C-alpha cells in the first residue's frame, strides 16, 4: 500500500468482496442470476487497478474503456455455462443458462455482445474515448462467428468448443486493440 496508495487497497477489497459473493453463501450471486454482472464488475476492477498502479490516481477513461472489455470477458463465462448446464442445475446454480431453455439462453450471449460493442461506440460518440478506439470493433468478427455457432448449437454443448475459443479471442483482441488506442492517445 505504501507504494501504490490506498486506492489500490479499496479496489482489492472490492474485488475480494465480488469474488467471494460470486459463489459463497449467503449471496451466491451466480446462483441467483447475478453472476454475469459480478464478473463484469470484477474485470472492470482489474482494469481500474492496473491503471491506478501506474497513475496513482483514478481516471475516467479506464473506467469507460473497461466497460466493453468486461462485457466481452463476461461472455466467456456466459458461453462456458452451456456445457456445464446440467451439472450446474444439479448443484443448485441457477444462473440464466440454467433458468432458461438453451434456445432462449443463447440470446443472452448476443445481448451481452451487442451491449459491449454498443458501449464502445457510445463512448466514442460521447467523446469519452478517442475515435481510433473503434478499431477494437474488429473483435466483433470472432464474437459474431461465436454467436452464430451458439445460435446453431445451444442445445449441443459438446459442439461449442470452437465458439468458446472465438469468444476468448474476441475479448483478448478487443482488449489489445483498445489498450493500443488509449496508449497512442497519450
Amino acid at each position: 500500500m505504501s507504494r501504490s496508495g490506498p486506492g489500490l487497497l479499496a479496489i482489492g477489497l472490492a474485488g475480494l468482496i465480488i469474488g467471494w459473493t460470486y459463489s459463497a453463501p449467503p449471496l451466491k450471486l451466480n446462483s441467483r442470476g447475478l453472476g454475469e454482472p459480478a464478473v463484469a464488475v470484477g474485470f472492470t476492477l482489474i482494469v481500474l487497478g492496473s491503471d491506478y498502479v501506474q497513475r496513482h490516481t483514478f481516471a475516467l477513461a479506464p473506467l469507460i474503456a473497461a466497460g466493453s472489455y468486461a462485457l466481452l470477458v463476461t461472455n466467456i463465462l456466459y458461453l462456458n455455462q452451456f456445457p456445464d448446464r446440467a451439472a450446474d442445475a444439479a448443484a443448485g446454480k441457477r444462473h440464466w443458462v440454467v433458468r432458461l431453455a438453451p434456445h432462449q439462453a443463447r440470446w443472452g450471449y448476443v445481448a451481452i455482445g451487442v451491449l459491449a460493442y454498443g458501449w464502445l461506440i457510445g463512448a466514442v460518440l460521447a467523446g469519452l474515448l478517442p475515435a481510433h478506439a473503434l478499431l477494437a470493433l474488429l473483435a466483433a468478427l470472432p464474437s459474431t462467428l461465436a454467436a452464430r455457432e451458439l445460435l446453431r448449437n445451444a442445445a449441443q454443448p459438446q459442439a461449442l468448443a470452437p465458439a468458446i475459443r472465438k469468444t476468448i479471442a474476441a475479448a483478448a483482441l478487443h482488449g489489445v486493440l483498445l489498450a493500443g488506442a488509449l496508449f497512442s492517445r497519450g
Side-chain angles (χ1 to χ4, degrees):
M1 183 168 120
S2 64
R3 300 192 85 188
S4 298
L8 190 60
L9 181 62
I11 291 169
L13 183 59
L16 180 66
I17 291 169
I18 288 291
W20 177 72
T21 60
Y22 177 82
S23 58
L27 296 181
K28 297 191 324 183
L29 297 175
N30 191 39
S31 296
R32 299 175 187 274
L34 296 172
E36 289 77 10
V39 167
V41 169
F43 274 87
T44 298
L45 290 172
I46 291 170
V47 172
L48 294 179
S50 298
D51 183 67
Y52 187 87
V53 165
Q54 296 172 59
R55 294 182 207 241
H56 300 284
T57 189
F58 291 106
L60 181 60
L63 177 63
I64 299 301
S68 57
Y69 172 71
L71 288 165
L72 292 177
V73 172
T74 298
N75 248 355
I76 297 170
L77 163 80
Y78 193 83
L79 185 53
N80 271 296
Q81 291 172 347
F82 281 85
D84 298 337
R85 187 174 186 273
D88 286 351
K93 294 181 182 177
R94 303 276 303 145
H95 51 69
W96 289 105
V97 174
V98 168
R99 290 172 186 232
L100 301 171
H103 73 279
Q104 294 170 316
R106 65 189 179 166
W107 293 105
Y109 180 92
V110 174
I112 294 168
V114 167
L115 184 59
Y117 295 112
W119 178 276
L120 176 63
I121 292 167
V124 170
L125 290 175
L128 298 171
L129 292 176
H132 56 283
L134 292 175
L135 187 60
L137 289 174
L138 289 173
L141 178 59
S143 287
T144 301
L145 294 173
R148 286 179 54 195
E149 291 177 19
L150 175 61
L151 291 174
R152 277 195 306 263
N153 299 310
Q156 300 158 331
Q158 69 279 5
L160 293 176
I164 292 169
R165 286 191 295 274
K166 288 177 180 91
T167 301
I168 293 167
L173 178 62
H174 181 83
V176 166
L177 293 173
L178 191 52
L182 293 176
F183 179 76
S184 68
R185 177 180 177 179

